[in-house]
Structures are given as C-alpha cells and as structure tokens.
Amino acid sequence: MKKIGVLTSGGDAPGMNAAVRAVVRAALQKGMEVVGIYRGYNGLINGDIRPLDATSVSDIIQRGGTVLYTARCLEFKEKAGIEKAKQSCIKNGIDGIVVIGGDGSFRGAADLSAAGIPCIGLPGTIDNDIAMTEYTIGYDTAMNTAMELIDKLNDTASSHDRCTVVEVMGRRAGYIALNTGIACGATAIITTEMPYDLGEVTKKIAESKKAGKNHFVVVVSEGIGNSQKIAEEIEEAVHIECRATILGHVQRGGSPTLRDRVEASRMGYYAVELLEKGIGNRVVGLQHGDVIDVDIQEALSMKKEFPADLYKIANEIAI
Ligand code: ADP
Ligand code: F6P
C-alpha cells in the first residue's frame, strides 16, 4: 500500500492519540504516506482529510481525547454512505484505513472492507467491552481516574459516617465497575452481568455498621443506572446517610496511563504491519498480553465472558 488513512470513531478514549501517533510513524517508517481523516466516518464522506507527517503527531502521546476528533456518522450505516466513503478513498488515493473505535466503528470498517477498501480496527473504548481482546485503549486510564475519584468520595463519606453510591461508565458493561469496586474496597459492586439483590446489599451494610464500620462505598455500573434510587433505598433500609454520584464523562478525559500509551503504540504498529501486507477486515487486540488479529465479523460475533471469579473475590473480601 502506498497511502493509508487513520480515523477515530465513536466515543473518545485516552490513548487514541498514542495509537494515531504509532500508526502515522510506523507507516512513514515503512515508506507509506499517511492522511488523517477527521471526525470519524463523517470526514471520509465529506473529504475532511489532511496529510500527516512525523511532526504532526509530535507531543500528542500524553494527551487525552483525540486530535483527529471523533463523531457518530449515521450516513455511514447506509449503503449510499459506504459508497460515498469508497469514492472518497479512490479520489484521495487511500489504499487502506486504520479505524480506532468500538464495536459500532468495526461494523463500519467491515462494510468498507467489503466494498474494497481494506480496514483494520483498533479497539479504542474505555468500556473494555470488545470480546476479541482482553484490553481496549482507554480502559486503564478510565479505571484509574474513576479509582481516584471514588477514593475522594470515600474520604468525605468516612468523615460524615455516610454511604457513597458511585455510578461509573461502561455502557452495558461492568468491567470498570468491577475493577474500581475492588480497588476502592467497595462493600458492594452492582453490574448488569451478575444477578444482585439490593436486600442482600443493605443487609451486608447493616451488619458491617453494627460491627463498627462507619462508611461504605457501593459501585454501580452505568448499565444498571438508578444510582439515586439505590442510594435512597440503602438510606431507608440501613438508616445511614447516603449520597449518589454519577462520575460521567470525567472518566473519558485526562492524560493516558503508561499502559494505555504502550498498548496503543503496540497495536497501532501492528495494524500498519497488516495493511503493509495488504491485509484488511481484521481487528487487532491483546490476548494473554500478545498482540493478535481476528476477522472483523468473527470479532463482532464473539461474546465476552464476565470474570465471575473476580466478582466473587470482590464480594468475599469486602465488608
Ligand atoms: P463505537 O465504535 O464506540 O461502538 P458507535 O456504535 O457509536 O461507537 O459507532 C460509531 C460509528 O460507527 C457510527 O456513528 C457509524 O458511523 C459507524 N457504525 C456503527 N454501526 C454501524 C453499522 N452497523 N454499519 C456501518 N457503520 C456503523
Ligand atoms: O463507550 C464509551 C462511553 O463513555 C460509555 O461508557 C457511555 O455509555 C457512552 O460512551 C456515553 O456516550 P456519550 O459520550 O455519547 O454520552
């Protein structure tokens, strides 16, 4: 391939910039030209495409968000949108594209690959909800951000003899909730993947309170929602003051952690190696720490196993 494009799509995630940098630098190193496609698939359809050189991605590895901007593009879900995107690739001499995003973005990448433009997907989402990979770019930063914020909420909860109910992001997935819940010593972690009984949660808090514990953390995943209602029910059942906090989009921002920067760099480099060989319609991910690639359709059909063993540990060591 002579010229490749790179775009970010769907929700932004810290580390996307590190991936863009790796793609650009690796492609240039291999003698290819690189263009940035702005605001996801919209930029492809509208021709918002600009050349990127080695220095254009300098000083971005440590920045959150995405310098290529991101968007959701409804037109791309239609056949006509894919055709427009294909024509835009032909017009701009783009032989292949690295798409950094989540499942939705990969569906688009599969459609464009089928239309004759080889695409490689890189998992970029804080949710870690992509089955073919154990790790998605942005996940580590988001978890660490949430952990720091929950620690702060815990400080004030302990000063006031309160229970803090914290809702963390993850769309329908509970990976951020599970891990931050363990890391912050949550008395209960409530996610959509595991059955839960609020009566059991309040019973556990009541028993702990009786034994002398004065403050509690309950982590709720976004997919459950209702964190305010959960807080009210705990307050009523246990007679402890409760406050609910929805952490929200702060979890999507901030400077990426070392892990996000390194994994984004590894996966970005690997994606370019695939395109260099003329391979498309693959998603790159991590399995047992190794960088691997899987057919996009196969990746989309895979189901992610929720770590019930970790959930069990979390519950058993929490009081
Ligand atoms: P994510 O990639 O984070 O899962 P979305 O689901 O919002 O985020 O998808 C991002 C973009 O990917 C959409 O705005 C659309 O342009 C494209 N996309 C999503 N689903 C499809 C689909 N079924 N076919 C083609 N393109 C899609
Ligand atoms: O997929 C990342 C994510 O932050 C989810 O955790 C959340 O459900 C969703 O995106 C929020 O999307 P938006 O930025 O459109 O509000």
Side-chain angles (χ1 to χ4, degrees), residues 7-12 16 39-42 45 70-79 82 99-112 122 124-127 129-130 171-172 300:
L7 64 83
T8 50
S9 169
D12 65 343
M16 279 185 164
R39 295 185 172 81
Y41 293 119
N42 284 313
I45 289 174
T70 184
R72 297 196 164 99
C73 171
L74 290 182
E75 203 181 345
F76 204 71
K77 292 188 179 181
E78 309 295 328
K79 266 201 167 136
I82 300 284
V99 172
I100 308 165
D103 274 345
S105 305
F106 298 160
R107 282 192 183 93
D111 290 349
L112 194 56
L122 285 190
T125 166
I126 64 164
D127 302 337
D129 59 350
I130 297 172
R171 209 182 293 258
R172 286 169 297 278
L300 290 171

Side-chain angles (χ1 to χ4, degrees), residues 5 27 44 56 76 83 108 123 167 225 240 258 272 295:
L44 195 54
S56 64
F76 204 71
E83 184 53 33
E167 184 178 313
I240 182 169
L258 177 142
V272 173
D295 173 84

Side-chain angles (χ1 to χ4, degrees), residues 85-295:
K86 181 184 172 178
Q87 292 311 322
S88 174
C89 288
I90 293 169
K91 187 174 158 207
N92 289 282
I94 299 172
D95 304 315
I97 300 180
V98 178
V99 172
I100 308 165
D103 274 345
S105 305
F106 298 160
R107 282 192 183 93
D111 290 349
L112 194 56
S113 296
I117 309 295
C119 293
I120 302 292
L122 285 190
T125 166
I126 64 164
D127 302 337
N128 199 30
D129 59 350
I130 297 172
M132 60 73 65
T133 181
E134 61 200 11
Y135 188 80
T136 58
I137 298 163
Y139 177 49
D140 193 53
T141 306
M143 283 194 298
N144 279 289
T145 300
M147 181 184 73
E148 279 178 29
L149 295 171
I150 298 169
D151 283 347
K152 290 181 204 293
L153 290 168
N154 199 14
D155 286 346
T156 168
S158 72
S159 310
H160 284 266
D161 301 294
R162 281 176 177 160
C163 171
T164 184
V165 175
V166 193
E167 184 178 313
V168 297
M169 269 190 170
R171 209 182 293 258
R172 286 169 297 278
Y175 301 99
I176 297 177
L178 174 60
N179 286 280
T180 56
I182 294 178
C184 298
T187 297
I189 301 166
I190 304 177
T191 73
T192 52
E193 292 91 344
M194 304 302 291
Y196 81 96
D197 175 352
L198 201 55
E200 286 299 316
V201 172
T202 55
K203 197 170 143 216
K204 189 169 184 183
I205 295 174
E207 277 166 10
S208 260
K209 191 173 166 231
K210 216 169 147 194
K213 187 166 174 169
N214 81 321
H215 65 286
F216 302 87
V217 174
V218 174
V219 176
V220 180
S221 75
E222 181 185 7
I224 295 275
N226 274 338
S227 39
Q228 180 60 40
K229 194 158 175 290
I230 289 173
E232 283 163 16
E233 286 184 29
I234 295 173
E235 182 160 313
E236 201 182 307
V238 186
H239 304 296
I240 182 169
E241 249 193 320
C242 252
R243 293 285 188 273
T245 305
I246 299 173
L247 294 186
H249 286 82
V250 284
Q251 294 160 99
R252 286 243 296 263
S255 178
T257 58
L258 177 142
R259 182 159 191 215
D260 274 330
R261 297 182 200 190
V262 173
E263 303 304 11
S265 301
R266 290 175 77 202
M267 291 195 269
Y269 187 89
Y270 189 99
V272 173
E273 284 185 323
L274 290 176
L275 286 181
E276 188 189 22
K277 290 180 206 146
I279 298 170
N281 201 41
R282 311 288 292 178
V283 184
V284 174
L286 285 186
Q287 263 171 30
H288 309 294
D290 293 329
V291 184
I292 50 106
D293 60 289
V294 171
D295 173 84

